[in-house]
Amino acid sequence: MTGIKKSKNELLKEARLQELEGKTEDAIKSYNLVISKDPSQAWAYNRLMILYRQLKEYKKELAIIKQAIAAYEKDFKDDQQTWKKANSKSASLSLSLAKSMGLLNDKGLPVYEESQIISWRKRMETVQKKMKTPAKAQRKKPTKRLKK
């Protein structure tokens, strides 16, 4: 990599090209750079998850899933705090109303989650199952039965 700083979009294009060329480790590095520039970049997280799944590196895939969910939750909380500061009078009323209607959980996060978060949570369950289940023994080829 040269000393020239690349934009997030340039890094995404580069990472995808590296993937297509079979340079998986380079693609992983590029996607991680994208995430360091923009922690809420869902596409980069998704590609990393796919690459780690292909490499059967389930612990790394699980770590990326957790990182993605945490980044999205942090982004939501930050947006919520910004809105509260700008609209302090209506914020407490809105918060009380949302809690009473069951729209927020104990952490103040919405009960309803974006489809991306739901997808990542399902993927996390799948990865956790894969990590617990030992690799299945390959099936033996069926033997031909002789007719009597």
Side-chain angles (χ1 to χ4, degrees):
M1 198 170 169
T2 62
I4 302 171
K5 290 188 178 184
K6 296 180 181 178
S7 73
K8 176 182 67 175
N9 289 336
E10 289 172 324
L11 286 169
L12 281 170
K13 288 177 187 174
E14 183 178 285
R16 189 65 183 138
L17 183 61
Q18 290 166 333
E19 257 190 271
L20 295 171
E21 292 174 348
K23 299 177 181 176
T24 305
E25 293 302 319
D26 291 337
I28 288 171
K29 288 176 188 174
S30 294
Y31 286 128
N32 278 313
L33 280 172
V34 170
I35 290 169
S36 69
K37 287 181 178 270
D38 180 6
S40 62
Q41 180 52 250
W43 200 74
Y45 285 116
N46 287 329
R47 294 309 307 163
L48 279 171
M49 291 173 203
I50 290 167
L51 291 174
Y52 286 134
R53 175 77 55 94
Q54 289 172 349
L55 295 171
K56 295 184 179 2
E57 292 186 23
Y58 302 121
K59 287 182 182 179
K60 289 182 180 180
E61 182 182 0
L62 184 61
I64 286 296
I65 295 168
K66 289 179 179 180
Q67 181 182 349
I69 292 170
Y72 263 68
E73 286 178 346
K74 182 187 179 310
D75 191 46
F76 177 82
K77 280 272 210 198
D78 291 348
D79 287 348
Q80 190 179 45
Q81 292 300 322
T82 302
W83 185 84
K84 279 182 183 179
K85 285 179 184 176
N87 303 286
S88 60
K89 290 183 181 179
S90 57
S92 62
L93 180 61
S94 296
L95 183 62
S96 297
L97 181 61
K99 283 184 179 177
S100 69
M101 293 177 69
L103 299 174
L104 298 176
N105 66 16
D106 296 337
K107 295 180 181 178
L109 296 170
V111 174
Y112 168 79
E113 291 184 321
E114 290 183 34
S115 59
Q116 183 64 71
I117 300 276
I118 293 168
S119 168
W120 287 339
R121 290 197 192 282
K122 286 181 184 176
R123 187 175 188 115
M124 185 165 44
E125 289 175 17
T126 302
V127 172
Q128 288 169 335
K129 286 178 186 173
K130 283 185 174 285
M131 291 172 68
K132 290 179 184 176
T133 308
K136 294 179 181 176
Q138 289 187 1
R139 295 182 182 187
K140 295 179 182 178
K141 292 181 181 177
T143 55
K144 293 182 181 180
R145 294 185 178 177
L146 298 173
K147 294 182 181 179
K148 290 186 181 181

